[in-house]
Amino acid sequence: MNAELIAVGTEILLGDIVNTDAQLISQGLSELGINVFYQTVVGDNPARLRHVIETARDRADIIITTGGLGPTLDDLTKETLATVFGKKMALHQPSLDRLTEFFNKIGREMTKNNEKQAWLPEGCTVFTNLWGTAPGCAFEAYGKHVLMLPGPPRECNPMWKECAMPYLYKLAGGCIVSHNIRVFGLGESSMEHILHDMMEKSKNPTIAPYAKTSECFARVTAKADTTEECEKLLEPVVREIVELLGDDVYGVDVDSLEQVVGDGLRAKGLKLAVAESCTGGLLSKRITDIPGCSDYYLGGVCSYANEVKMNVLGVRKETLDTVGAVSAETAEQMAAGVAKALGADIGVGITGIAGPGGGTEDKPAGLVYISVWYDGKFFTRKTNSSFGRDRVRMQAASTALDLIRRHIL
Amino acid sequence: MNAELIAVGTEILLGDIVNTDAQLISQGLSELGINVFYQTVVGDNPARLRHVIETARDRADIIITTGGLGPTLDDLTKETLATVFGKKMALHQPSLDRLTEFFNKIGREMTKNNEKQAWLPEGCTVFTNLWGTAPGCAFEAYGKHVLMLPGPPRECNPMWKECAMPYLYKLAGGCIVSHNIRVFGLGESSMEHILHDMMEKSKNPTIAPYAKTSECFARVTAKADTTEECEKLLEPVVREIVELLGDDVYGVDVDSLEQVVGDGLRAKGLKLAVAESCTGGLLSKRITDIPGCSDYYLGGVCSYANEVKMNVLGVRKETLDTVGAVSAETAEQMAAGVAKALGADIGVGITGIAGPGGGTEDKPAGLVYISVWYDGKFFTRKTNSSFGRDRVRMQAASTALDLIRRHIL
């Protein structure tokens, strides 16, 4: 079975809000094993809404709409769907009672237009709205399934999970399961190059490559009648990919490098401190994005000025005077210095030129040295990227985490 | 003229990512006075992509696609658009040169599949990608305008603003100018309440309120034949709004609080240092997001562990033992301590409970103390928010910047 999502709302077309309902529902449909081939957004315009519904009716088994269920004149979703699918509208007394009670409770008069929300397609399954006023609903007609949900995410989200997903679960049968293999140190195109033959020949599970800022991942997705059968199909394929990509794989179904490194540090009982120059606190921010990081993270020093590098971290003046602040030597002294200053087992030092200004011919913007100190040893890497300040910094912070992962954990 | 947006990417249909490109582009089109009637999302499937493009061709004047320009087999946007609009593909040598240079620079081999990114519809206008590898482009055929942008927001966003919007601007005729009045310390609904009467009666310029994480802004937009006429319409309206909102306005057409504070520090020749506990480096990261910040930013200390608060920042053990790490006293000692340790004119101290764990009845998750030390005086504020870890931290970092802006600059 395949589904099409239709969001009804001029505010999305104007860019006032982003269509997060579509993401929520798509994730849920993916879990249910229902394919989504199209998502459409259309405004509060009867002719265009009808056109979109008719198109969806001809190509999808399930139509799920969000928005346009409210009391105002431009809320037209129910009426238009009923027309296209040959349904009459009928007053749903329990919904009207709920509305009346709601307005009594908040001490406001229920204006006449609110009654509109209790008129629903005849014979539909009503999704009671415990989170707002407009009920949702579902019906079947001409062999198609139609579901309507309210637009505001605080109503759409719980109604989707508590009413619509259980409704669809009964229809769906079958099952879909995905695993994500997360990779750092390999570009998307290189990863695809390595996986190319597997991707070509593998139909179930399918293998798809994705890029994220400074990293990438491969998603492997299987369909079968049960979760167990899906996992059985997935296991050898995931194992083969992990073998092919080797040490560049930092985890399967993990959230992020900072999560993986954090879990590893906690498991080994190691304490971390970081010293950042060009990343300016980004690495520290990413480490502390993870709740509970105080188990292994002591803190950091952002040493933007050379005086801070010398006075707080103990970087030697001769080093700064001879090889300069942007050098492997400075990165290493920062790494060892912050570990000492904060009493940590592992120290990180990052120094470079984030850009766009500040570069020279010898040391162009984008050049960064990253060093990790542990147990008297340094693991140091030089990176060079030309994607602008944000990505230079992101790449440098990720590289530091990756050095810890590869060499210490 | 009306436009249709087509996002190409199975990752959106699977709910892995939310379609923020659509919001960005819709906002821009709205500013240009171009209507958006439909947004569509389709997967990396040639037949369905073609179907969506053909539908758009028959109902829109302008088609803007995002995604599917990359090197992999399932990147099909260019090829499919070229087929539908009867265009041949041709190798664009300058794009190939850029790609080759890029891979040389990062020291990776350019695999053969990357060349695909340099093949573009014959005779198109090329949008050079300064933020990634795949170029965008635009062409006209059968009286329709087609624009293609890369999918990743960090590439789509700047290419849209710097290449695609100017391209469309020439097509749109007329002129549109906006000013953004940036506000911190006032919620969106309070701002709307204050501006309500002005918003009701003002048709050109229009006034629209927007919310951003922990701040909001009002956008004033005028349409006229020339930029000068637009500015003439805008000037009195912007002035009136700034007067109405008073000291909560931190700037007009400025990028961010960190930019405004940075400019102010540079102008006054003041040096800043920050000490962060619960924000974990986020404030330092935001300050160093601004190129050239080394003019006024010395650095920071992330004192996650109490030992770091005492040993590096000089927070007194009695303070931590009596009122605790999350207190106005600790924030103030951190602020004065980091200024002293790093030799700065201004010191910031932030301490709190970002959550979700770590809260108590007295000190719930979301409680944060922010203090700014300058010239022997403290400016201290307590905030309390229940919107989750990310927003608690963002709000705290913004509050620190806002305290500097209000009391020192």
Side-chain angles (χ1 to χ4, degrees):
Chain A
M1 278 203 297
N2 73 79
E4 177 153 353
L5 271 49
I6 302 173
V8 188
T10 303
E11 65 275 29
I12 303 177
L13 295 181
L14 287 170
D16 289 343
I17 56 169
V18 67
N19 188 10
T20 50
D21 290 344
Q23 181 178 31
L24 172 84
I25 295 170
S26 294
Q27 282 172 344
L29 289 168
S30 171
E31 280 174 39
L32 290 170
I34 297 170
N35 289 313
V36 180
F37 288 153
Y38 307 93
Q39 298 172 351
T40 310
V41 182
V42 63
D44 306 308
N45 171 291
R48 287 194 285 269
L49 176 56
R50 181 171 181 148
H51 175 62
V52 163
I53 291 170
E54 285 171 350
T55 305
R57 179 194 57 191
D58 297 342
R59 64 190 183 186
D61 305 309
I62 301 167
I63 298 175
I64 302 175
T65 68
T66 51
L69 303 183
T72 70
L73 281 180
D74 60 6
D75 289 311
L76 297 160
T77 306
K78 278 182 303 195
E79 295 74 3
T80 312
L81 278 163
T83 308
V84 171
F85 285 91
K87 291 269 178 187
K88 280 191 193 139
M89 298 293 281
L91 180 68
H92 183 247
Q93 192 61 45
S95 290
L96 186 61
D97 295 343
R98 276 190 65 85
L99 278 167
T100 313
E101 195 188 325
F102 170 80
F103 280 95
N104 280 339
K105 204 171 164 186
I106 63 166
R108 276 200 211 150
E109 193 198 350
M110 183 168 100
T111 51
K112 187 75 185 164
N113 58 354
N114 275 292
E115 276 181 27
K116 184 170 166 299
Q117 298 176 90
W119 285 78
L120 297 168
E122 222 169 25
C124 68
T125 301
V126 179
F127 299 152
T128 304
N129 190 341
L130 302 173
W131 314 274
T133 55
C137 65
F139 64 76
E140 188 180 348
Y142 307 130
K144 308 286 181 170
H145 299 275
V146 178
L147 289 84
M148 291 166 242
L149 302 169
R154 66 178 180 280
E155 300 176 28
C156 180
N157 192 323
M159 191 182 286
W160 166 247
K161 288 184 178 156
E162 296 189 22
C163 309
M165 276 188 79
Y167 180 92
L168 288 171
Y169 189 75
K170 287 184 208 157
L171 303 178
C175 186
I176 197 165
V177 178
S178 291
H179 291 308
N180 294 311
I181 298 153
R182 306 285 295 255
V183 171
F184 184 82
L186 201 63
E188 189 197 7
S189 58
S190 306
M191 180 175 75
E192 195 190 345
H193 190 72
I194 295 170
L195 302 181
H196 184 270
D197 292 348
M198 274 189 87
M199 284 168 64
E200 287 277 281
K201 68 169 197 254
S202 188
K203 298 298 171 209
N204 188 22
T206 56
I207 305 166
Y210 294 98
K212 288 189 63 155
T213 308
S214 86
E215 58 175 89
C216 60
F217 64 97
R219 178 191 298 265
V220 191
T221 305
K223 291 185 189 186
D225 286 340
T226 67
T227 309
E228 290 69 32
E229 287 172 60
C230 287
E231 293 290 4
K232 227 164 135 179
L233 289 166
L234 287 164
E235 197 273 332
V237 178
V238 169
R239 187 157 32 83
E240 189 177 344
I241 293 175
V242 169
E243 275 165 25
L244 278 170
L245 300 178
D247 203 28
D248 290 329
V249 174
Y250 71 79
V252 177
D253 298 330
V254 293
D255 285 339
S256 61
L257 261 172
E258 45 269 37
Q259 180 79 62
V260 168
V261 168
D263 290 347
L265 291 172
R266 186 186 284 108
K268 295 213 165 203
L270 293 171
K271 304 286 184 186
L272 174 68
V274 307
E276 304 182 65
S277 185
C278 65
T279 47
L282 171 63
L283 174 58
S284 185
K285 184 254 172 201
R286 284 178 58 186
I287 293 167
T288 60
D289 280 343
I290 311 296
C293 63
S294 53
D295 291 350
Y296 49 83
Y297 185 58
L298 299 179
V301 172
C302 168
S303 56
Y304 229 62
N306 277 350
E307 289 66 34
V308 179
K309 291 189 185 74
M310 292 187 290
N311 301 340
V312 182
L313 299 174
V315 174
R316 288 191 294 278
K317 188 167 185 306
E318 308 88 83
T319 307
L320 297 174
D321 288 344
T322 52
V323 290
V326 180
S327 62
E329 288 83 346
T330 300
E332 292 177 352
Q333 291 176 33
M334 288 169 67
V338 78
K340 192 178 163 202
L342 272 59
D345 302 301
I346 303 170
V348 170
I350 302 178
T351 180
I353 302 149
T360 62
E361 198 159 319
D362 274 5
K363 296 182 177 179
L367 174 69
V368 184
Y369 290 91
I370 303 109
S371 183
V372 173
W373 176 89
Y374 172 61
D375 203 15
K377 283 188 291 292
F378 292 105
F379 306 97
T380 305
R381 206 184 287 174
K382 172 182 167 180
T383 64
N384 208 331
S385 136
S386 55
F387 282 131
R389 190 171 179 89
D390 290 351
R391 284 180 71 182
V392 166
R393 300 190 342 144
M394 197 68 179
Q395 171 87 20
S398 294
T399 300
L401 294 166
D402 193 54
L403 284 169
I404 297 173
R405 173 186 76 82
R406 284 179 198 250
H407 298 295
I408 305 175
L409 304 180
Chain B
M1 283 204 294
N2 73 79
E4 176 152 353
L5 270 49
I6 303 174
V8 187
T10 304
E11 63 274 31
I12 304 177
L13 295 181
L14 286 170
D16 290 339
I17 57 169
V18 66
N19 188 8
T20 51
D21 291 342
Q23 181 178 32
L24 172 85
I25 295 171
S26 294
Q27 282 173 346
L29 289 168
S30 170
E31 281 178 35
L32 290 169
I34 298 170
N35 289 313
V36 180
F37 288 152
Y38 306 94
Q39 299 172 351
T40 309
V41 182
V42 63
D44 306 307
N45 171 290
R48 288 193 286 271
L49 176 56
R50 184 175 178 141
H51 174 62
V52 164
I53 291 170
E54 284 169 351
T55 305
R57 180 194 57 191
D58 297 343
R59 65 192 182 185
D61 305 308
I62 301 166
I63 298 175
I64 302 175
T65 67
T66 51
L69 303 185
T72 69
L73 281 178
D74 59 5
D75 289 312
L76 297 160
T77 306
K78 280 182 301 193
E79 294 74 5
T80 313
L81 279 163
T83 307
V84 171
F85 284 92
K87 291 268 178 188
K88 281 190 191 136
M89 297 293 280
L91 180 68
H92 183 247
Q93 192 61 43
S95 291
L96 185 61
D97 295 344
R98 275 190 65 84
L99 281 167
T100 314
E101 194 189 327
F102 168 80
F103 280 94
N104 279 339
K105 199 168 167 191
I106 62 166
R108 279 198 203 154
E109 194 198 350
M110 183 168 102
T111 50
K112 187 78 186 160
N113 57 355
N114 275 291
E115 276 181 29
K116 184 169 166 297
Q117 299 177 88
W119 284 79
L120 297 169
E122 221 169 21
C124 69
T125 301
V126 179
F127 299 153
T128 304
N129 190 340
L130 302 173
W131 313 274
T133 55
C137 64
F139 64 75
E140 189 181 345
Y142 308 129
K144 307 288 181 171
H145 298 275
V146 178
L147 289 83
M148 293 166 238
L149 301 170
R154 67 177 182 278
E155 300 176 26
C156 180
N157 193 322
M159 191 183 287
W160 166 245
K161 287 185 179 155
E162 295 188 22
C163 309
M165 278 188 79
Y167 180 92
L168 290 170
Y169 187 78
K170 287 188 206 151
L171 304 178
C175 186
I176 200 162
V177 178
S178 291
H179 291 308
N180 294 310
I181 298 152
R182 304 287 295 256
V183 171
F184 183 83
L186 201 62
E188 188 195 7
S189 58
S190 307
M191 180 175 76
E192 194 175 344
H193 189 73
I194 296 170
L195 301 181
H196 183 269
D197 292 347
M198 274 189 87
M199 284 168 60
E200 287 278 285
K201 69 169 195 258
S202 189
K203 298 297 171 213
N204 188 20
T206 56
I207 304 166
Y210 294 94
K212 288 188 60 154
T213 310
S214 86
E215 58 175 89
C216 60
F217 65 97
R219 172 174 295 162
V220 192
T221 305
K223 289 185 191 185
D225 287 338
T226 66
T227 309
E228 292 70 32
E229 287 172 61
C230 287
E231 293 292 1
K232 226 164 133 179
L233 290 164
L234 288 165
E235 196 276 333
V237 177
V238 170
R239 188 157 31 83
E240 190 177 345
I241 293 175
V242 170
E243 274 165 23
L244 280 169
L245 301 178
D247 202 30
D248 290 330
V249 174
Y250 70 80
V252 177
D253 297 331
V254 293
D255 284 339
S256 61
L257 262 172
E258 45 271 37
Q259 178 81 61
V260 168
V261 168
D263 291 346
L265 292 171
R266 186 186 284 110
K268 296 212 167 204
L270 293 170
K271 304 285 184 187
L272 174 68
V274 308
E276 305 181 65
S277 185
C278 65
T279 46
L282 172 63
L283 175 57
S284 185
K285 184 256 173 199
R286 285 178 57 186
I287 293 167
T288 59
D289 279 344
I290 311 296
C293 64
S294 52
D295 291 349
Y296 50 83
Y297 185 57
L298 298 180
V301 172
C302 169
S303 55
Y304 229 63
N306 277 350
E307 289 66 34
V308 180
K309 292 189 184 73
M310 292 187 289
N311 301 341
V312 182
L313 299 173
V315 174
R316 287 191 293 277
K317 188 166 185 308
E318 309 88 84
T319 307
L320 296 174
D321 287 345
T322 52
V323 289
V326 179
S327 62
E329 289 83 345
T330 299
E332 292 178 352
Q333 290 176 32
M334 287 169 68
V338 78
K340 191 175 163 207
L342 273 57
D345 303 301
I346 303 170
V348 169
I350 301 177
T351 180
I353 302 148
T360 63
E361 199 159 322
D362 275 4
K363 297 185 177 178
L367 173 68
V368 185
Y369 290 92
I370 302 110
S371 183
V372 172
W373 176 89
Y374 173 59
D375 203 16
K377 287 189 289 291
F378 291 104
F379 306 97
T380 305
R381 206 185 285 172
K382 171 182 167 179
T383 64
N384 210 331
S385 138
S386 53
F387 284 126
R389 188 173 180 89
D390 290 349
R391 282 181 68 178
V392 166
R393 303 198 328 152
M394 196 69 178
Q395 171 86 23
S398 293
T399 300
L401 294 166
D402 194 54
L403 284 169
I404 298 173
R405 175 185 76 83
R406 283 179 199 251
H407 298 296
I408 305 174
L409 303 181

